[in-house]
Amino acid sequence: MTGKHVNLNIGGSLFALLGIVFIVLKLCHVIDWAWWLVLLPLYVPFVLAVLVLVFVCLWVKVSE
């Protein structure tokens, strides 16, 4: 193998870390947010994946 490959994936990890930080801050009564706001960073990767899937499906359907 002659080339070096660097794989940088911080997208999911960043949202997970942010979600954990928000949960800890909520449980320690540092922030007084609603739980849906605290858990929102955990849903972002799933929502983005669904949006990409829908976009690809629509793109394939239009291309036919």
Side-chain angles (χ1 to χ4, degrees), residues 11-64:
S13 301
L14 179 65
F15 289 118
L17 179 64
L18 196 59
I20 291 169
V21 168
F22 286 168
I23 290 170
V24 169
L25 290 174
K26 172 77 172 175
L27 292 175
C28 292
H29 303 289
V30 175
I31 56 176
D32 190 28
W33 299 351
W35 275 106
W36 71 271
L37 282 174
V38 172
L39 298 175
L40 194 61
L42 301 177
Y43 297 129
V44 170
F46 175 73
V47 171
L48 288 176
V50 169
L51 288 175
V52 167
L53 181 65
V54 168
F55 178 74
V56 168
C57 289
L58 290 174
W59 183 267
V60 168
K61 187 70 174 174
V62 169
S63 297
E64 290 179 346

Side-chain angles (χ1 to χ4, degrees), residues 5-10:
H5 298 280
V6 175
N7 188 6
L8 182 63
N9 182 9
I10 60 169

